[in-house]
Amino acid sequence: MIIADTDFLSIFLKIERLSLIFTALEINELIITGAVLQEIKPAPVYGLFLEASKKHKIIVMNSKEKEVLDFGLGELESIALAKETNSILLMDDRRAARLAESKGVIVMSVPIFLLHCRINNILSRDEMKQIIKTMEEKDHYQLNSEIENKLVE
């Protein structure tokens, strides 16, 4: 299973490329937690989420484990569910990703996901450049220059 946290989901909704997650990871369904859904409901991307959920199977699941730490509920629930289900977690918050990894969860950040797409020829160099540009424009997402160069070489 693949579980997406709010930040990762939001980026790909904003750039209107949620389908890339399904294609690149060869999945038919994407899991989010109830807490992630609650975090995106008041956000501007919620309309995009509703549209995307008509095209793609997005399942809402909740974790049985509840842990209180200095993180958002969406992050904590996503980490707990990934651990319970032995799933890969799509998460871009470095601090939360370190917590997830310390619990044995495999985390895929946006740069790692994009590198996966590039290495496996899912995205051409031009498509990658366009995605990077769109992420900057619509989400103010900035890759460091070394990573960006690696993605577009």
Side-chain angles (χ1 to χ4, degrees):
M1 279 190 339
I2 304 293
I3 300 170
D5 187 35
T6 308
D7 55 354
F8 200 103
L9 181 65
S10 176
I11 290 167
F12 285 89
L13 286 169
K14 286 177 186 174
I15 68 168
E16 299 180 34
R17 294 296 301 255
L18 190 68
S19 59
L20 181 60
I21 295 171
F22 288 83
T23 303
L25 300 178
E26 300 177 355
I27 57 173
N28 296 320
E29 58 190 34
L30 182 64
I31 310 297
I32 64 170
T33 66
V36 167
L37 181 59
Q38 292 308 310
E39 288 179 353
I40 64 168
K41 271 187 178 178
V45 296
Y46 188 60
L48 296 170
F49 172 78
L50 292 175
E51 284 301 310
S53 63
K54 291 176 186 174
K55 298 175 191 166
H56 302 289
K57 188 172 183 180
I58 301 173
I59 299 172
V60 178
M61 293 178 68
N62 293 305
S63 166
K64 296 174 190 137
E65 182 182 323
K66 299 287 185 218
E67 185 175 12
V68 179
L69 295 169
D70 188 25
F71 291 94
L73 189 56
E75 293 162 336
L76 292 172
E77 197 168 276
S78 296
I79 291 167
L81 184 60
K83 182 180 176 190
E84 288 171 18
T85 58
N86 196 30
S87 299
I88 294 173
L89 178 58
L90 304 177
M91 173 179 273
D92 208 52
D93 182 295
R94 287 187 188 130
R95 200 169 131 254
R98 281 193 301 272
L99 174 66
E101 290 168 343
S102 76
K103 295 179 175 294
V105 173
I106 297 170
V107 177
M108 186 179 277
S109 65
V110 170
I112 297 298
F113 173 75
L114 292 176
L115 186 60
H116 168 81
C117 291
R118 191 72 183 103
I119 288 170
N120 291 291
N121 295 314
I122 296 163
L123 292 172
S124 69
R125 187 155 61 104
D126 289 340
E127 289 171 316
M128 184 63 71
K129 285 179 180 179
Q130 184 59 47
I131 285 176
I132 291 168
K133 180 181 176 201
T134 307
M135 286 183 353
E136 289 174 2
E137 290 171 354
K138 294 190 175 187
D139 193 53
H140 308 289
Y141 192 95
Q142 204 67 44
L143 293 166
N144 79 36
S145 58
E146 186 179 334
I147 291 172
E148 187 171 337
N149 289 339
K150 194 78 167 158
L151 291 172
V152 297
E153 65 182 24

